[in-house]
Amino acid sequence: MRFFRKTPPAPLRAGTLMHLSSLPSAGGVGTMGEAAYRFVDFLAASGLTVWQMLPVGPAGYGESPYQSFSAFAGDALLIDLPDLVARGLLRAQDVPEGGAMERDALRRAKDAALRASWRYSHEKVHAQVRAYARRHAWLNDWALFAALKARYGGIAWQEWPEEALVRRDRRALAAAKKDMKDETDYYRYVQWLFSLQWEKLRAYAHAHGVLLFGDMPIYASADSADCWANRSIFQLDGDGRPTHVAGVPPDYFSEDGQRWGNPLYNWKELKRTRYGWWVARMRAMAERFDWTRIDHFIGFANYYAIPAASPTARVGEWRIGPGRPLFRRIERAVPGLSIIAEDLGEVGPRVQELLRACGYPGMRVMQFGYDGGEDNPHLPENYIRNCVAYTGTHDNDTLRGYLATAGETTLSNLRAHFPGAQDLAGAMLEALFQSKAGTVIAPMQDFLGLGGEARMNVPGTVGGANWLWRMAPDAPLAALVPRIRALCCQSGRTVERSEEKK
C-alpha cells in the first residue's frame, strides 16, 4: 500500500541541471550572486520551472560535492562577495582583485574576505547570528569541527594529534570551545551569510515560478562533522575509521564498481534514536529546496557493504536497509516533503517494493535507453508520469559527447528510433520533452550543445576535470530561449503561476 502522496506536483514540468559552481564568476566558481539571478531570469523566460543543483555543502575530497565535510552546512565558496558589499557587511577594498583562480587559492582568498567581513560586521549582526544558531542545532558541531580542522592544517579528524578531541572527550571539547571561541563564532557567521543569500535567491526563484531542486547524497563523508559528532550512528571502529564503506558493484559505469569510501550507517542505532539524525537532515533539505533527490535511494532497501581494506568494489556483499519505517518517520516529522528517488543500478524486488510503498518518482536516463531492447525503461516511449527523466545526469557524458563515443550498436538503435534525424542530440532532447514523464531535466551543457569537454564527472575517478565545468560568460542564453520555450509549449510543460502550488 502506498503511504505517501506522489511527487513532484501535478503539472508537467521541465528544467535543467546546473550546479551553482558552474555559473560564470570573476573568481572562477559560481556564487549566489548576479549570475544566479540572471540564470533564474533565463529559466523563467524559457518556460523552465525547475532548477536542479548538485549538493551545496562544503566540498571535500577531490572537490566532490558528494564528499562534503558536512551534511548540513553550505559551501562558503558559493557566497557572493559583491552582495555582502551591497548589504554593508563587507568593505569593497576587502574583495579580492584579479580573475579566476585555481580552487585552493580561491578558497584561501574567499576565506580571507569572509574573515574581513566577520571582523567588520559581526558585532552589529550578533543577535541575528545567535538566533540562526539557536534554530540550527547542527551548527555548533560544524563550527567546532571546522575550527579544529583549520587548526590542524585540514587533515582528517581521525588524524588529529589530540586524541581526546578525536574521541570527543567532554573536558577536551569544553577547553577547545573556550580556546577557539572567535574561530567558532566566525564559522557560525559564515553559515548565517550563506543562509541569508540562499533565502534571497530562493525567494527570487519562487517569484519567477522556478522551483529549486536539491541533490542529497545518501552517505556522509568519513571526514565530516557528522561522523565526528555522531560516531554511534556510523559503522566505525574504535579509532573512528570505517569498518565497511559504501559503493556499488561493477556496473555500466565501471568494471571495478565504485568504491565511494563513505562509512555505512549503523541502522540499528539510528532506529533506536527514532532516526533523529535523518529527520534533522531532511528538515534541513526542506528548508533549502522545494524538491530533494536522494542519491542512491537503493541503499535504503539494500546496500552494498565493501570491507574498508578492499581497494575496489569487486569485493562486497548486499545487506538489508531500513526500508519503510525510516520514511514513515521522516514523513510524520517533516510533512510535505517532495522526494525524488535515484533508483538507478541494481533495482531488485526490495527496491521496487519500497518505491511502490513510498510513491516517490524514480529516474529515467535517455543515455541508458539505446543499448537494449524495446522494453528498456530508459527509452522515452516507455516513461511513466511518476518519474523524472533526464538526457543524462552529472555522471554521464554530455549528449554530444555520448554520441561521439557511442558504439555502432547504440548508434544503429538511435538511427532506428530517429530515422532521418540530422541532429541526433536535438532529436533526443525533443523526445525527452514529448515523453510522458512528469518532469524532464536536461543538463545545461545539453541545451548549449556542448561536447565531452564539458562533462561534469567521470564516476570512479578523482580529480582531473571532475566538477570543474563552468558556463562561459558569453554563453548564448538569449538565443536559446525561443527554442527551449517552444519545446516547453509543444509538450505542455509551461506552468501557469496559478498551477504552481497544486
Side-chain angles (χ1 to χ4, degrees):
M1 179 180 294
R2 179 177 290 119
F3 56 88
F4 300 137
R5 64 182 175 83
K6 289 185 178 181
T7 55
L12 292 173
R13 292 183 180 272
T16 191
L17 172 57
M18 173 74 168
H19 195 37
L20 267 171
S21 69
S22 294
L23 291 168
S25 78
V29 172
T31 69
M32 295 177 281
E34 186 66 18
Y37 290 85
R38 301 294 72 81
F39 191 68
V40 170
D41 293 341
F42 158 74
L43 296 176
S46 302
L48 300 175
T49 57
V50 181
W51 180 2
Q52 183 174 356
M53 304 173 190
L54 304 183
V56 296
Y61 183 59
E63 287 296 339
S64 169
Y66 294 89
Q67 294 287 351
S68 178
F69 293 127
S70 171
F72 295 86
D75 195 336
L77 270 189
L78 303 177
I79 294 174
D80 187 65
L81 299 181
D83 177 73
L84 298 186
V85 174
R87 292 174 183 266
L89 298 173
L90 178 67
R91 299 176 302 179
Q93 60 262 39
D94 291 324
V95 177
E97 296 181 358
M101 309 177 195
E102 59 89 20
R103 190 69 70 100
D104 287 342
L106 181 59
R107 283 198 181 277
R108 290 192 294 270
K110 180 66 70 76
D111 181 67
L114 292 176
R115 287 179 182 277
S117 172
W118 179 72
R119 289 191 296 270
Y120 180 65
S121 303
H122 77 277
E123 290 185 358
K124 61 185 176 183
V125 298
H126 181 67
Q128 294 99 303
V129 177
R130 285 194 64 184
Y132 176 77
R134 284 195 297 270
R135 295 194 304 272
H136 298 87
W138 56 267
L139 187 52
N140 288 332
D141 282 328
W142 163 250
L144 185 57
F145 173 86
L148 289 168
K149 194 169 183 63
R151 170 193 274 184
Y152 297 128
I155 62 174
W157 65 266
Q158 294 90 343
E159 304 290 340
W160 291 349
E162 295 187 48
E163 184 184 347
L165 290 173
V166 172
R167 292 186 288 103
R168 290 180 60 85
D169 175 81
R170 289 185 180 182
R171 291 184 179 180
L173 288 177
K177 289 174 184 177
K178 183 178 179 180
D179 182 46
M180 306 190 74
K181 183 181 182 303
D182 281 354
E183 277 292 283
T184 56
D185 282 349
Y186 163 68
Y187 285 107
R188 291 185 191 92
Y189 174 76
V190 169
Q191 290 306 306
W192 175 74
L193 292 179
F194 186 96
S195 176
L196 205 66
Q197 292 192 346
W198 186 274
E199 289 172 5
K200 180 183 174 185
L201 177 60
R202 186 177 182 184
Y204 188 85
H206 286 180
H208 288 74
V210 175
L211 302 177
L212 299 186
F213 183 4
D215 200 352
M216 189 185 75
I218 183 175
Y219 294 114
S221 171
D223 186 19
S224 68
D226 309 285
C227 279
W228 177 63
N230 305 278
R231 286 175 60 161
S232 65
I233 67 170
F234 297 94
Q235 295 183 28
L236 305 176
D237 65 18
D239 296 323
R241 302 180 190 282
T243 58
H244 288 76
V245 297
V248 291
D251 61 9
Y252 177 91
F253 286 118
S254 172
E255 63 181 14
D256 283 333
Q258 298 178 47
R259 185 190 183 281
W260 300 329
N262 307 75
L264 297 170
Y265 293 106
N266 179 351
W267 287 114
K268 183 177 181 179
E269 176 65 12
L270 277 162
K271 182 179 180 180
R272 189 190 69 78
T273 60
R274 301 186 69 228
Y275 304 107
W277 184 84
W278 267 100
V279 168
R281 191 181 188 194
M282 296 308 299
R283 185 175 288 122
M285 289 298 292
E287 288 180 1
R288 199 168 276 168
F289 293 101
D290 301 294
W291 297 353
T292 294
R293 185 193 87 123
I294 301 181
D295 194 42
H296 196 59
F297 186 85
I298 288 169
F300 295 114
N302 38 238
Y303 60 92
Y304 194 62
I306 305 166
S310 177
T312 73
R314 287 183 174 273
V315 177
E317 64 177 7
W318 287 104
R319 297 178 179 176
I320 303 301
R324 285 181 274 184
L326 169 65
F327 291 98
R328 287 196 184 99
R329 173 73 180 116
I330 288 172
E331 181 69 10
R332 292 190 189 106
V334 193
L337 275 174
S338 290
I339 290 174
I340 286 79
E342 189 270 286
D343 56 344
L344 307 175
E346 295 285 337
V347 184
R350 287 185 59 83
V351 180
Q352 294 171 359
E353 179 184 354
L354 182 59
L355 282 169
R356 281 194 298 268
C358 294
Y360 299 150
M363 287 176 54
R364 304 291 185 271
V365 181
M366 285 189 80
Q367 289 188 33
F368 299 156
Y370 297 96
D371 54 1
E374 292 302 308
D375 60 346
N376 189 321
H378 296 286
L379 286 172
E381 51 265 39
N382 295 332
Y383 294 168
I384 60 175
R385 178 67 180 263
N386 194 38
C387 79
V388 179
Y390 297 76
T391 51
T393 73
H394 63 278
D395 281 334
N396 294 98
D397 205 339
T398 67
L399 264 187
R400 296 204 179 277
Y402 159 77
L403 292 170
T405 57
E408 188 51 45
T409 299
T410 298
L411 289 174
S412 178
N413 288 337
L414 282 162
R415 294 187 192 104
H417 278 85
F418 303 107
Q422 298 299 309
D423 176 10
L424 277 176
M428 291 176 73
L429 197 57
E430 184 174 348
L432 177 77
F433 274 73
Q434 291 295 334
S435 73
K436 293 180 181 178
T439 299
V440 297
I441 304 281
M444 197 61 210
Q445 295 97 312
D446 289 347
F447 283 127
L448 289 166
L450 301 179
E453 74 284 351
R455 182 171 184 162
M456 194 64 169
N457 179 51
V458 178
T461 67
V462 178
N466 289 345
W467 320 115
L468 295 182
W469 178 72
R470 305 288 175 261
M471 184 169 69
D474 59 352
L477 297 187
L480 290 177
V481 168
R483 180 192 174 208
I484 297 174
R485 188 155 193 91
L487 286 171
C488 290
C489 291
Q490 291 163 8
S491 59
R493 297 184 183 277
T494 54
V495 180
E496 299 297 329
R497 296 292 173 86
S498 61
E499 295 181 89
E500 287 171 7
K501 295 184 178 180
K502 289 183 180 179

